Amino acid sequence: MSAEPSLPVPSPAPRFGVWLIGARGSVATTAIVGCAAVAAGLHPPTGMVTETAPFTSCGLPSLSSLVFGGHDTVDCPLPKRAEHLADGGVLPHGLPSAVHAELVAADREIRPGGPPPGDTGRTQDQWIDVFAADIRDFVRRQDLAGAVVINVASTEPAPTDGSLPPSSLYAAAALRAGCPYVNFTPSTGLHHPALAPLAASSGLPYAGRDGKTGQTLLRSVLGPMFLQRALAVRAWSGTNLLGGGDGAALADPAAAAAKNAGKERVLADTLGTTPEGEVHIDDVPALGDWKTAWDHIAFDGFLGARMILQTTWQGCDSSLAAPLVLDLARLTVRARQKGLTGPLSELGFYFKDPVGDGPSSLAEQYTDLRHFAERLRPAATDPKAHR
Ligand SMILES: NC(=O)c1ccc[n+]([C@@H]2O[C@H](COP(=O)([O-])OP(=O)(O)OC[C@H]3O[C@@H](n4cnc5c(N)ncnc54)[C@H](O)[C@@H]3O)[C@@H](O)[C@H]2O)c1
């Protein structure tokens, strides 16, 4: 009796970790729910740039290959968090129960964050070790081909002494665990001078800061328009009304100052001057996750004619942010696979205050992103190419 020739056992498709700092927050929960919903074909990928034509052959990891985990300081289970978001109209009713299994799986991978305010139990280096061990453990247990760490935790004030704020402890832990790092918030993260040597020597790619989802997105389009049409902007003032956890965190003037610096940088960079005017953020809890951003732009035309442009942006914050978080996870995982290191300035399209020396106008940033996508394409013989 002749033995049957044994068929080669196909190796399982690689999976990649997305470790979210602030994993139980609105943006994180919406990203986890959205990834599962789009991967299952329950919703189209509206708002995901990486699902558009220029990105289809870049070897980006598929949405179904992403595995979520993270740190948070609160313990409300993700399925419950998702139900709250559905009650508030951020997620469609019924969607949290349709992706319940994925939410439970991600919830099992969330570890306690820190440090608690005033903590003296561990040194900063010990906290970095604890966080890095959590991330490494996740990668090993889930048998992941790699992971990216993305900060979507509450905005913290800029540090006033030399110590590392929590966002910087997590950023250092990401690099210590061998993972690329993305800062979707205005918090310090890798921008701390004490972390510069680690960022430079890690051989890992990183990106940030602060996702560009509303008012600043508009500013990065309108600023270049005024400059290119030779119209003189005299004053640019803005007000934001928002609720939710982000609104509460930004009610702290020090946290709001960190946010507003990024918004104002876009104007200085695109107009070449800093016009008069300020940005204000008001916490309006009744608005929940909905944000109204109003800009008032006073400008001069030919022969000094005085004119005004006003814009009103009414957006759902987490639905604007979540697809960008998924884009950034896929692009950064792929950048790591391709051996890219250091600041990913070509991802400036996504940020208010981008790392590196890229342009500030959205149109130029999109061109850079398209070039970046070209660099991610699998070489003809690239064994890591998959989709
Ligand atoms: N359009 C947008 O929504 C948008 C755009 C740009 C940036 N962001 C930033 O994204 C972040 C998240 O926004 P959100 O609306 O999800 O806020 P949120 O308040 O709903 O969530 C923040 C989460 O971070 C957690 N957290 C706080 N401190 C922590 C710590 N030390 N360690 C671990 N977790 C911690 C909180 O418990 C909470 O679950 C904010 O910093 C916000 O400024 C949001």
Side-chain angles (χ1 to χ4, degrees):
M1 197 168 99
S2 64
E4 292 269 328
S6 59
L7 292 170
V9 181
S11 53
R15 297 177 317 138
F16 302 90
V18 183
W19 187 265
L20 299 169
I21 312 301
R24 299 188 195 279
S26 300
V27 171
T29 309
T30 307
I32 296 167
V33 169
C35 185
V38 175
L42 300 176
H43 281 270
T46 311
M48 283 194 67
V49 180
T50 53
E51 284 291 311
T52 59
F55 300 86
T56 45
S57 320
C58 299
L60 299 181
S62 67
L63 290 175
S64 56
S65 73
L66 301 183
V67 179
F68 292 89
H71 285 113
D72 206 306
T73 46
V74 297
D75 52 16
C76 176
L78 272 181
K80 199 165 167 197
R81 196 69 187 79
E83 286 299 343
H84 287 158
L85 289 173
D87 291 346
V90 178
L91 299 175
H93 277 293
L95 188 55
S97 48
V99 298
H100 185 78
E102 287 87 344
L103 287 171
V104 170
D107 197 65
R108 270 200 294 267
E109 294 294 351
I110 300 179
R111 298 290 170 267
D119 171 70
T120 50
R122 290 189 175 112
T123 64
Q124 296 206 321
D125 201 59
Q126 285 168 335
W127 275 108
I128 297 172
D129 264 346
V130 168
F131 295 149
D134 287 339
I135 299 166
R136 278 201 209 94
D137 193 40
F138 167 65
V139 171
R140 197 170 34 241
R141 233 171 339 89
Q142 290 280 355
D143 194 20
L144 302 172
V148 56
V149 174
I150 306 186
N151 181 20
V152 283
S154 319
T155 299
E156 65 192 16
T160 48
D161 57 13
S163 67
L164 295 177
S167 64
S168 298
L169 301 178
Y170 289 116
L175 301 188
R176 201 173 277 185
C179 296
Y181 172 78
V182 177
N183 190 357
F184 199 78
T185 82
S187 303
T188 309
L190 261 191
H191 266 61
H192 198 287
L195 297 186
L198 175 63
S201 66
S202 68
L204 291 162
Y206 57 90
R209 279 197 287 186
D210 202 6
K212 184 162 68 189
T213 57
Q215 186 174 50
T216 316
L217 181 66
L218 264 187
R219 287 177 167 213
S220 66
V221 174
L222 293 176
M225 178 197 76
F226 283 108
L227 183 75
Q228 288 159 5
R229 279 296 173 98
L231 296 167
V233 174
R234 288 185 297 116
W236 198 315
S237 317
T239 286
N240 293 270
L241 309 178
L242 76 156
D246 202 19
L250 294 172
D252 172 358
K259 192 87 169 176
N260 290 341
K263 289 175 186 272
E264 281 162 8
R265 175 181 159 186
V266 174
L267 291 188
D269 288 355
T270 55
L271 297 173
T273 59
T274 307
E276 243 175 56
E278 289 178 0
V279 187
H280 295 273
I281 301 182
D282 285 353
D283 178 29
V284 184
L287 292 183
D289 223 42
W290 266 264
K291 179 159 81 183
T292 297
W294 176 66
D295 263 6
H296 181 283
I297 306 150
F299 63 100
D300 283 350
F302 196 45
L303 310 181
R306 300 216 146 178
M307 293 177 255
I308 303 282
L309 168 67
Q310 296 182 54
T311 62
T312 308
W313 174 278
Q314 291 182 288
C316 175
D317 249 0
S318 300
S319 2
L320 289 163
L324 308 188
V325 169
L326 297 176
D327 277 350
L328 287 163
R330 303 171 85 187
L331 291 163
T332 318
V333 159
R334 181 67 183 148
R336 168 84 172 117
Q337 273 189 324
K338 291 291 280 185
L340 305 188
T341 62
L344 299 177
S345 57
E346 299 98 323
L347 297 183
F349 178 72
Y350 289 99
F351 297 107
K352 291 190 187 73
D353 186 14
V355 295
D357 288 328
S360 299
S361 105
L362 193 73
E364 288 175 71
Q365 290 175 332
Y366 183 64
T367 304
D368 275 8
L369 183 67
R370 296 278 302 264
H371 290 150
F372 184 70
E374 291 302 317
R375 289 170 70 198
L376 299 184
R377 265 181 212 294
T381 53
D382 186 347
K384 290 176 188 153
H386 58 85
R387 203 179 142 77

